[in-house]
Amino acid sequence: MSITAVVKKNTYFDSVSLMSISTRANQLPGVEQAFVAMGTEMNKGVLSNLGLLTADLGAAGTGDLMIVVEAGEEADQAALLAEVEELLVQKAPSASGGPDTVTYRTVDSAARAIPEANLAIVAVNGAYAGREARKALENGLHVMVFSDNVPIEEEVRLKQLAHSKGLFMMGPDCGTAIINNVALCFGNAVRPGTVGVVAASGTGAQEVSVRIHALGAGISQLIGTGGRDLSEQVGGIMMIDGIRALADDPGTSVIVLVSKPPAPAVQDKVLAEIAGAGKPVVVYFVGGSEEAVTAAGGHFAASTQDAALQAVRLGVDVHAAVDELAAKQVDEVCARLAPEQRYVRGLFCGGTLCDESMYALLEVSDNVWSNIQKDPGRRLTAGSPSVGHTFLDFGDDDFTNGRPHPMIDPSLRLARLVQEAEDPQVAVILMDFVLGFGAHEDPVGVTLPAIAQAKKIASDAGRDLEIVGYVLGTDLDTPALAEQVAALEAAGVTVTRSSTETGHFARETARKAHRA
């Protein structure tokens, strides 16, 4: 192997652009590994761990761009480096925005030059995201912080400042919003409508929005809060502000709240807002209390699909139909399993999609392990091997520290898929595929080789390996939902119709096989 490393002084790219560039650079023929990132201490630490940190890279400053290309001995290093640099040119503002595009180097200068602007999206290294978000708030801008790894104390200060100014502070680690029919960061193409969503989960919000779209309704506003908003430390500041904003919005007739498990005291604080909303409020908090939601005057949802159904037609229940389909599929799967195959493994890009399936299986087994498990005794780290029924959220900070989100770069998940196929105890592997703005242009296509490899590993060992896939998307997304589903089915993957159905499949596999 040979390594080429270049430092471009005073050359800034935002983290979202660099995620995309790194993903494309790693796909170039001849490249074994490519790393394109700003010269922050965290990024240099990642290079050090990979054994790629040179003296020049170590001297890079936070405003310098680092390019590292590792290739085979026979590769033309200069040509590969030129191809990576061409990707940077393609991403440069002047290349996409035309000759009249103006680039602003600071939030202050942009706010002065564009007085009609009212929103700033922050996508820089987490160590600096708080500073930039504060500048935006002080300029009277709503803020969406895509960056993760922002100290929680900083999040609290920023949200308190935003609240005092009557502004939104969505994030940190907020990946999804739809404001006035415009998707921000990750989002799906859904029709406009009258259902408003406030969500402390990006893929949870996406799942609810696409289910609402599939039912023929649409979204008025989708407000992201960031995954820690309902923690004890933050106290639900942004979710409460979001509820009040939708309550005042004449275009919203129903409000849906979505979150991973909230802190109990914060859940109570948020639910207290329902009475004053003046509109029906559907609440899907993973692992939440139906009694608490009902007592507060809300409509309890047991799943993302249930939340969408109740938002569109309150009181409709289709759980039996979903269970019937899942049970039929599971019977066919269990009939093909070898005696030692007893565990379900979930490899997810979306945290709430992971949570929903995990909580469904927890109904029949406590042998469930995850990097997002509430039970610390059954919590795994990014490097932990699977144990029992294992559910991994590859979008969690532990996996994305210094790396692109798996919805952009699925390489870690693909490697884990092949690894899980080696385990003779694995019966079913669950996977999600997220379409929409900001996500990989072909999430199914990039996974198909690993699916084929995983199935071959099991087949060569005399085992059947069932892979269950759920595609989160709509008929308006690119690539098309039907196209992605067809590709999975052609590869021998069982395709579910919703995140809820995926969870039912996991639960029924464990129950019907009597191996939980």
Side-chain angles (χ1 to χ4, degrees):
M1 296 291 176
S2 58
I3 299 173
T4 300
V6 173
V7 175
K8 290 186 170 292
K9 302 294 289 184
N10 300 315
T11 303
Y12 174 77
F13 281 80
D14 66 87
S15 60
V16 176
S17 294
L18 291 177
M19 285 179 184
S20 176
I21 291 167
S22 289
T23 299
R24 294 169 64 191
N26 276 287
Q27 294 170 348
L28 293 173
V31 171
E32 297 291 333
Q33 187 169 208
F35 190 91
V36 187
M38 299 304 296
T40 64
E41 291 304 315
M42 183 184 75
N43 286 334
K44 286 188 282 189
V46 172
L47 286 172
S48 178
N49 292 336
L50 294 172
L52 300 176
L53 187 66
T54 65
D56 287 345
L57 295 171
T62 56
D64 301 335
L65 181 68
M66 304 185 298
I67 304 173
V68 183
V69 179
E70 183 180 9
E73 296 293 344
E74 303 300 320
D76 186 334
Q77 290 282 329
L80 287 178
L81 180 61
E83 288 187 69
V84 174
E85 291 183 336
E86 178 60 25
L87 296 177
L88 292 166
V89 172
Q90 293 171 11
K91 276 290 181 181
S94 59
S96 58
D100 297 326
T101 298
V102 178
T103 300
Y104 301 98
R105 297 299 182 185
T106 68
V107 172
D108 292 332
S109 63
R112 287 194 300 269
I114 316 173
E116 67 273 21
N118 65 358
L119 171 69
I121 298 177
V122 177
V124 299
N125 183 277
Y128 312 104
R131 179 187 65 192
E132 299 306 316
R134 179 172 293 276
K135 289 179 183 177
L137 292 170
E138 290 172 345
N139 276 283
L141 299 172
H142 299 287
V143 175
M144 180 176 181
V145 179
F146 181 82
S147 312
D148 57 9
N149 291 292
V150 176
I152 196 165
E153 298 81 9
E154 183 73 9
E155 177 175 348
V156 172
R157 289 192 292 267
L158 290 169
K159 288 186 171 177
Q160 289 173 340
L161 175 61
H163 177 79
S164 70
K165 290 178 169 289
L167 298 169
F168 282 176
M169 189 15 234
M170 298 183 285
D173 201 11
C174 181
T176 298
I178 302 175
I179 305 298
N180 296 333
N181 303 319
V182 176
L184 305 176
C185 296
F186 298 126
N188 298 92
V190 296
R191 70 175 59 83
T194 61
V195 180
V197 180
V198 190
S201 163
T203 49
Q206 287 185 256
E207 171 67 3
V208 169
S209 71
V210 302
R211 299 271 64 80
I212 289 170
H213 176 93
L215 291 166
I219 301 297
S220 59
Q221 309 287 344
L222 192 162
I223 302 167
T225 70
R228 298 183 304 201
D229 192 70
L230 272 67
S231 66
E232 196 75 50
Q233 299 97 313
V234 182
I237 298 172
M238 184 63 239
M239 181 162 280
I240 290 172
D241 284 350
I243 294 170
R244 293 174 181 174
L246 293 179
D248 292 338
D249 176 27
T252 298
S253 61
V254 179
I255 299 171
V256 180
L257 308 181
V258 182
S259 177
K260 298 175 187 178
V266 180
Q267 173 182 270
D268 294 343
K269 185 179 176 183
V270 169
L271 294 180
E273 293 290 318
I274 291 176
K279 299 175 181 179
V281 179
V282 178
V283 181
Y284 175 53
F285 290 165
V286 179
S289 165
E290 180 173 4
E291 181 181 358
V293 172
T294 303
H299 300 271
F300 174 79
S303 65
T304 49
Q305 179 153 308
D306 191 19
L309 280 165
Q310 291 201 54
V312 177
R313 301 179 300 173
L314 291 176
V316 172
D317 182 5
V318 297
H319 287 96
V322 174
D323 282 343
E324 182 181 346
L325 175 64
K328 180 181 177 182
Q329 291 174 319
V330 168
D331 284 342
E332 296 172 354
V333 170
C334 290
R336 298 193 294 266
L337 296 178
E340 68 271 18
Q341 291 180 273
R342 63 191 67 179
Y343 295 126
V344 176
R345 300 282 159 81
L347 310 178
F348 289 87
C349 293
T352 295
L353 307 186
C354 182
D355 256 334
E356 185 162 19
S357 288
M358 179 173 68
Y359 270 80
L361 200 148
L362 277 166
E363 295 175 14
V364 297
S365 174
D366 61 359
N367 187 19
V368 181
W369 300 71
S370 174
N371 61 320
I372 55 174
Q373 249 277 27
K374 288 186 71 176
D375 179 359
R378 296 190 184 272
R379 192 171 299 149
L380 303 176
T381 65
S384 301
S386 293
V387 182
H389 302 294
T390 291
F391 290 78
L392 298 177
D393 170 18
F394 283 84
D396 187 63
D397 287 359
D398 197 24
F399 279 101
T400 61
N401 194 351
R403 296 186 62 90
H405 193 281
M407 285 164 57
I408 298 172
D409 177 9
S411 55
L412 279 181
R413 187 169 76 145
L414 300 186
R416 188 64 176 247
L417 168 60
V418 174
Q419 178 183 333
E420 295 293 350
E422 301 275 3
D423 187 343
Q425 296 185 98
V426 173
V428 174
I429 296 177
L430 309 177
M431 302 186 75
D432 57 347
F433 301 88
V434 183
L435 310 182
F437 306 110
H440 193 282
E441 62 271 16
D442 186 9
V444 169
V446 76
T447 310
L448 289 178
I451 289 174
Q453 184 180 355
K455 282 186 166 290
K456 185 177 187 304
I457 289 170
S459 177
D460 289 348
R463 292 181 278 111
D464 178 77
L465 177 63
E466 187 70 22
I467 298 178
V468 176
Y470 167 56
V471 184
L472 191 167
T474 75
D475 53 325
L476 301 179
D477 279 321
T478 302
L481 173 62
E483 173 189 321
Q484 297 279 287
V485 168
L488 285 174
E489 290 177 337
V493 174
T494 298
V495 180
T496 54
R497 300 172 299 181
S498 67
S499 174
T500 301
E501 190 171 287
T502 307
H504 290 173
F505 197 107
R507 182 191 66 206
E508 295 305 307
T509 297
R511 190 206 304 274
K512 289 181 179 295
H514 300 289
R515 294 167 179 163

mmCIF file of all heavy atoms in Angstrom, residues 339-361:
data_model
loop_
_atom_site.group_PDB
_atom_site.id
_atom_site.type_symbol
_atom_site.label_atom_id
_atom_site.label_comp_id
_atom_site.label_asym_id
_atom_site.label_seq_id
_atom_site.Cartn_x
_atom_site.Cartn_y
_atom_site.Cartn_z
ATOM 1 N N PRO A 339 -31.559 -25.901 13.498
ATOM 2 C CA PRO A 339 -31.851 -25.881 14.942
ATOM 3 C C PRO A 339 -31.061 -24.829 15.719
ATOM 4 O O PRO A 339 -31.572 -24.265 16.696
ATOM 5 C CB PRO A 339 -31.480 -27.296 15.388
ATOM 6 C CG PRO A 339 -31.650 -28.125 14.170
ATOM 7 C CD PRO A 339 -31.240 -27.261 13.025
ATOM 8 N N GLU A 340 -29.804 -24.590 15.311
ATOM 9 C CA GLU A 340 -28.984 -23.649 16.089
ATOM 10 C C GLU A 340 -29.289 -22.185 15.778
ATOM 11 O O GLU A 340 -28.825 -21.278 16.476
ATOM 12 C CB GLU A 340 -27.497 -23.924 15.841
ATOM 13 C CG GLU A 340 -27.003 -23.604 14.432
ATOM 14 C CD GLU A 340 -27.139 -24.766 13.477
ATOM 15 O OE1 GLU A 340 -27.915 -25.703 13.790
ATOM 16 O OE2 GLU A 340 -26.470 -24.752 12.425
ATOM 17 N N GLN A 341 -30.069 -21.917 14.723
ATOM 18 C CA GLN A 341 -30.382 -20.536 14.352
ATOM 19 C C GLN A 341 -31.502 -20.017 15.245
ATOM 20 O O GLN A 341 -32.655 -20.422 15.113
ATOM 21 C CB GLN A 341 -30.786 -20.462 12.874
ATOM 22 C CG GLN A 341 -29.638 -20.723 11.920
ATOM 23 C CD GLN A 341 -30.073 -20.646 10.473
ATOM 24 O OE1 GLN A 341 -30.536 -21.638 9.907
ATOM 25 N NE2 GLN A 341 -29.929 -19.473 9.873
ATOM 26 N N ARG A 342 -31.155 -19.070 16.128
ATOM 27 C CA ARG A 342 -32.138 -18.647 17.132
ATOM 28 C C ARG A 342 -32.201 -17.144 17.355
ATOM 29 O O ARG A 342 -33.075 -16.678 18.076
ATOM 30 C CB ARG A 342 -31.817 -19.328 18.455
ATOM 31 C CG ARG A 342 -30.459 -18.960 19.043
ATOM 32 C CD ARG A 342 -30.080 -19.852 20.201
ATOM 33 N NE ARG A 342 -29.857 -21.208 19.750
ATOM 34 C CZ ARG A 342 -29.497 -22.209 20.532
ATOM 35 N NH1 ARG A 342 -29.318 -22.010 21.813
ATOM 36 N NH2 ARG A 342 -29.299 -23.419 20.031
ATOM 37 N N TYR A 343 -31.297 -16.378 16.759
ATOM 38 C CA TYR A 343 -31.223 -14.957 17.110
ATOM 39 C C TYR A 343 -31.537 -14.030 15.939
ATOM 40 O O TYR A 343 -31.249 -14.330 14.783
ATOM 41 C CB TYR A 343 -29.843 -14.620 17.657
ATOM 42 C CG TYR A 343 -29.550 -15.309 18.967
ATOM 43 C CD1 TYR A 343 -28.400 -16.081 19.123
ATOM 44 C CD2 TYR A 343 -30.424 -15.189 20.042
ATOM 45 C CE1 TYR A 343 -28.124 -16.725 20.321
ATOM 46 C CE2 TYR A 343 -30.160 -15.840 21.239
ATOM 47 C CZ TYR A 343 -29.014 -16.599 21.381
ATOM 48 O OH TYR A 343 -28.753 -17.236 22.565
ATOM 49 N N VAL A 344 -32.096 -12.883 16.295
ATOM 50 C CA VAL A 344 -32.369 -11.806 15.354
ATOM 51 C C VAL A 344 -31.288 -10.746 15.515
ATOM 52 O O VAL A 344 -30.943 -10.366 16.636
ATOM 53 C CB VAL A 344 -33.754 -11.174 15.612
ATOM 54 C CG1 VAL A 344 -33.987 -9.975 14.685
ATOM 55 C CG2 VAL A 344 -34.854 -12.213 15.429
ATOM 56 N N ARG A 345 -30.751 -10.269 14.399
ATOM 57 C CA ARG A 345 -29.764 -9.201 14.434
ATOM 58 C C ARG A 345 -30.306 -8.026 13.602
ATOM 59 O O ARG A 345 -30.706 -8.216 12.441
ATOM 60 C CB ARG A 345 -28.416 -9.668 13.876
ATOM 61 C CG ARG A 345 -27.826 -10.856 14.661
ATOM 62 C CD ARG A 345 -27.187 -10.433 15.966
ATOM 63 N NE ARG A 345 -27.049 -11.500 16.927
ATOM 64 C CZ ARG A 345 -26.082 -12.412 16.937
ATOM 65 N NH1 ARG A 345 -25.167 -12.407 15.988
ATOM 66 N NH2 ARG A 345 -26.011 -13.310 17.898
ATOM 67 N N GLY A 346 -30.338 -6.848 14.172
ATOM 68 C CA GLY A 346 -30.821 -5.671 13.471
ATOM 69 C C GLY A 346 -29.687 -4.709 13.185
ATOM 70 O O GLY A 346 -28.964 -4.316 14.113
ATOM 71 N N LEU A 347 -29.510 -4.322 11.936
ATOM 72 C CA LEU A 347 -28.449 -3.400 11.517
ATOM 73 C C LEU A 347 -29.132 -2.190 10.886
ATOM 74 O O LEU A 347 -29.537 -2.229 9.728
ATOM 75 C CB LEU A 347 -27.511 -4.076 10.509
ATOM 76 C CG LEU A 347 -26.971 -5.464 10.902
ATOM 77 C CD1 LEU A 347 -26.104 -6.022 9.791
ATOM 78 C CD2 LEU A 347 -26.202 -5.402 12.219
ATOM 79 N N PHE A 348 -29.245 -1.101 11.655
ATOM 80 C CA PHE A 348 -30.093 0.015 11.256
ATOM 81 C C PHE A 348 -29.313 1.309 11.028
ATOM 82 O O PHE A 348 -28.328 1.591 11.707
ATOM 83 C CB PHE A 348 -31.151 0.280 12.328
ATOM 84 C CG PHE A 348 -32.223 -0.776 12.403
ATOM 85 C CD1 PHE A 348 -32.056 -1.914 13.172
ATOM 86 C CD2 PHE A 348 -33.398 -0.628 11.692
ATOM 87 C CE1 PHE A 348 -33.036 -2.892 13.242
ATOM 88 C CE2 PHE A 348 -34.393 -1.598 11.744
ATOM 89 C CZ PHE A 348 -34.211 -2.730 12.528
ATOM 90 N N CYS A 349 -29.785 2.092 10.067
ATOM 91 C CA CYS A 349 -29.310 3.469 9.888
ATOM 92 C C CYS A 349 -30.088 4.424 10.782
ATOM 93 O O CYS A 349 -29.559 5.442 11.231
ATOM 94 C CB CYS A 349 -29.477 3.906 8.433
ATOM 95 S SG CYS A 349 -28.436 3.031 7.268
ATOM 96 N N GLY A 350 -31.366 4.125 11.013
ATOM 97 C CA GLY A 350 -32.243 5.020 11.761
ATOM 98 C C GLY A 350 -32.433 4.585 13.198
ATOM 99 O O GLY A 350 -32.779 3.429 13.478
ATOM 100 N N GLY A 351 -32.210 5.514 14.144
ATOM 101 C CA GLY A 351 -32.300 5.185 15.560
ATOM 102 C C GLY A 351 -33.688 4.763 16.005
ATOM 103 O O GLY A 351 -33.844 3.778 16.735
ATOM 104 N N THR A 352 -34.723 5.488 15.584
ATOM 105 C CA THR A 352 -36.073 5.126 15.989
ATOM 106 C C THR A 352 -36.531 3.858 15.297
ATOM 107 O O THR A 352 -37.271 3.056 15.877
ATOM 108 C CB THR A 352 -37.043 6.283 15.706
ATOM 109 O OG1 THR A 352 -36.688 7.395 16.527
ATOM 110 C CG2 THR A 352 -38.474 5.894 16.022
ATOM 111 N N LEU A 353 -36.100 3.639 14.065
ATOM 112 C CA LEU A 353 -36.425 2.383 13.394
ATOM 113 C C LEU A 353 -35.807 1.219 14.154
ATOM 114 O O LEU A 353 -36.424 0.162 14.322
ATOM 115 C CB LEU A 353 -35.915 2.403 11.954
ATOM 116 C CG LEU A 353 -36.336 3.590 11.081
ATOM 117 C CD1 LEU A 353 -35.863 3.384 9.645
ATOM 118 C CD2 LEU A 353 -37.834 3.789 11.127
ATOM 119 N N CYS A 354 -34.583 1.407 14.636
ATOM 120 C CA CYS A 354 -33.923 0.392 15.460
ATOM 121 C C CYS A 354 -34.680 0.191 16.763
ATOM 122 O O CYS A 354 -34.973 -0.942 17.162
ATOM 123 C CB CYS A 354 -32.479 0.825 15.722
ATOM 124 S SG CYS A 354 -31.505 -0.369 16.683
ATOM 125 N N ASP A 355 -35.020 1.295 17.413
ATOM 126 C CA ASP A 355 -35.746 1.223 18.683
ATOM 127 C C ASP A 355 -37.086 0.507 18.531
ATOM 128 O O ASP A 355 -37.472 -0.313 19.373
ATOM 129 C CB ASP A 355 -35.992 2.640 19.222
ATOM 130 C CG ASP A 355 -35.065 2.990 20.371
ATOM 131 O OD1 ASP A 355 -34.600 2.067 21.063
ATOM 132 O OD2 ASP A 355 -34.806 4.185 20.591
ATOM 133 N N GLU A 356 -37.816 0.837 17.470
ATOM 134 C CA GLU A 356 -39.146 0.257 17.305
ATOM 135 C C GLU A 356 -39.075 -1.257 17.179
ATOM 136 O O GLU A 356 -39.852 -1.986 17.809
ATOM 137 C CB GLU A 356 -39.850 0.864 16.094
ATOM 138 C CG GLU A 356 -41.281 0.384 15.945
ATOM 139 C CD GLU A 356 -42.129 1.260 15.036
ATOM 140 O OE1 GLU A 356 -41.576 2.033 14.235
ATOM 141 O OE2 GLU A 356 -43.368 1.165 15.144
ATOM 142 N N SER A 357 -38.146 -1.760 16.384
ATOM 143 C CA SER A 357 -37.988 -3.208 16.241
ATOM 144 C C SER A 357 -37.490 -3.842 17.534
ATOM 145 O O SER A 357 -37.946 -4.912 17.942
ATOM 146 C CB SER A 357 -37.018 -3.520 15.102
ATOM 147 O OG SER A 357 -37.604 -3.245 13.855
ATOM 148 N N MET A 358 -36.551 -3.173 18.201
ATOM 149 C CA MET A 358 -35.992 -3.709 19.434
ATOM 150 C C MET A 358 -37.067 -3.814 20.522
ATOM 151 O O MET A 358 -37.170 -4.841 21.218
ATOM 152 C CB MET A 358 -34.840 -2.837 19.916
ATOM 153 C CG MET A 358 -34.204 -3.321 21.216
ATOM 154 S SD MET A 358 -32.719 -2.377 21.658
ATOM 155 C CE MET A 358 -33.437 -0.776 22.057
ATOM 156 N N TYR A 359 -37.869 -2.775 20.663
ATOM 157 C CA TYR A 359 -38.904 -2.808 21.695
ATOM 158 C C TYR A 359 -39.976 -3.846 21.392
ATOM 159 O O TYR A 359 -40.557 -4.449 22.298
ATOM 160 C CB TYR A 359 -39.527 -1.426 21.867
ATOM 161 C CG TYR A 359 -38.797 -0.591 22.895
ATOM 162 C CD1 TYR A 359 -37.622 0.069 22.570
ATOM 163 C CD2 TYR A 359 -39.252 -0.489 24.200
ATOM 164 C CE1 TYR A 359 -36.929 0.817 23.504
ATOM 165 C CE2 TYR A 359 -38.569 0.254 25.146
ATOM 166 C CZ TYR A 359 -37.406 0.903 24.797
ATOM 167 O OH TYR A 359 -36.723 1.639 25.734
ATOM 168 N N ALA A 360 -40.238 -4.093 20.104
ATOM 169 C CA ALA A 360 -41.189 -5.142 19.749
ATOM 170 C C ALA A 360 -40.663 -6.506 20.201
ATOM 171 O O ALA A 360 -41.413 -7.319 20.761
ATOM 172 C CB ALA A 360 -41.442 -5.139 18.250
ATOM 173 N N LEU A 361 -39.376 -6.762 19.991
ATOM 174 C CA LEU A 361 -38.816 -8.046 20.390
ATOM 175 C C LEU A 361 -38.707 -8.164 21.910
ATOM 176 O O LEU A 361 -38.832 -9.259 22.472
ATOM 177 C CB LEU A 361 -37.451 -8.265 19.723
ATOM 178 C CG LEU A 361 -36.987 -9.728 19.670
ATOM 179 C CD1 LEU A 361 -36.158 -9.986 18.422
ATOM 180 C CD2 LEU A 361 -36.157 -10.093 20.893
#
